[in-house]
Amino acid sequence: MGKLLKDFLYILEYVHGSITENKVGYKSRLSGAPEKFTYVRRFIMKIAVINGPNLNLLGRREPEIYGSGTLEELQKMLIEASEGKNVEFKFFQSNSEGEIVDFIHQCIGSVDGIIINPGAYSHYSIAILDALRAFDGKIVEVHISNVFKREEIRHSLITARAADAVIAGMGFEGYVFAFFYLLSLSE
């Protein structure tokens, strides 16, 4: 786990009250607080993780932009981050716009949140935007690369208009940030 992600998790601990700041500014755990921050949940949170076109080629396609990790490694990273948190993931990848729309429709009423990387569809798919708007839970749109530092055509994120949050340029850790954001909303 990267330093940035560890810092983010530390901030979550601080916000949720298991870490306090003493008078001299040092951080210390509350007495009786668990050594490792965990969420106590009475239900299983279901999160769909949707990856769009060409993301099945992660690790092989433009590794200088998207890194050398594979889609399977990304999924494993999310599963490891969710250990002990009563979370169930539904992973889905498709190169077809219609299949992505159909999967989002299946998510309505069956999952609590969506993490989506629509890939190139994020720049022009009104169909995916409309499907996301029909979803009744929270949505985080994720992009592995910083799309705003790339070609002008990639700067417009049509599908992000349906998202509650957008994360770009953080690599695979962006998905983990999205997961913890959704998890924090369920508390």
Side-chain angles (χ1 to χ4, degrees):
M1 192 179 316
K3 181 181 177 346
L4 186 62
L5 181 56
K6 286 180 184 176
D7 290 344
F8 177 73
L9 294 177
Y10 184 83
I11 291 167
L12 275 180
E13 287 182 279
Y14 184 76
V15 168
H16 286 279
S18 66
I19 295 177
T20 59
E21 190 170 342
N22 64 25
K23 291 179 182 175
V24 264
Y26 292 102
K27 304 287 188 238
S28 60
R29 293 191 175 276
L30 290 170
S31 61
E35 187 58 32
K36 184 176 180 185
F37 185 68
T38 56
Y39 288 92
V40 177
R41 184 180 318 288
R42 293 188 184 108
F43 65 95
I44 295 175
M45 182 177 195
K46 296 179 182 176
I47 299 174
V49 181
I50 304 170
N51 283 289
N54 299 311
L55 292 167
N56 57 312
L57 298 177
L58 284 172
R60 293 180 288 172
R61 177 179 165 251
E62 298 180 280
E64 67 280 3
I65 295 173
Y66 301 107
S68 60
T70 65
L71 186 59
E72 292 76 22
E73 291 169 334
L74 168 61
Q75 292 170 353
K76 183 179 176 191
M77 188 177 187
L78 282 168
I79 290 168
E80 288 173 359
S82 72
E83 284 181 18
K85 295 180 177 50
N86 249 358
V87 173
E88 178 183 300
F89 290 107
K90 288 182 160 188
F91 294 106
F92 180 79
Q93 188 281 325
S94 179
N95 296 315
S96 167
E97 183 179 26
E99 288 178 6
I100 294 170
V101 168
D102 288 341
F103 185 76
I104 293 168
H105 290 175
Q106 292 171 21
C107 291
I108 297 170
S110 68
V111 301
D112 303 298
I114 291 176
I115 298 170
I116 184 167
N117 182 342
Y121 289 135
S122 63
H123 310 299
Y124 63 86
S125 178
I126 303 298
I128 292 174
L129 170 64
D130 288 346
L132 288 170
R133 283 183 170 161
F135 178 68
D136 51 352
K138 296 293 183 180
I139 301 166
V140 181
E141 184 165 320
V142 175
H143 294 277
I144 296 168
S145 68
N146 183 347
V147 293
F148 303 105
K149 287 180 81 174
R150 298 183 64 197
E151 307 91 342
E152 181 85 25
I153 195 168
R154 297 182 190 273
H155 296 184
S156 177
L157 301 175
I158 300 297
T159 53
R161 294 176 187 177
D164 296 288
V166 178
I167 300 170
M170 298 186 70
F172 283 7
E173 288 184 342
Y175 286 81
V176 179
F177 276 96
F179 160 64
F180 278 105
Y181 171 73
L182 291 175
L183 192 63
S184 73
L185 295 177
S186 72
E187 292 300 304

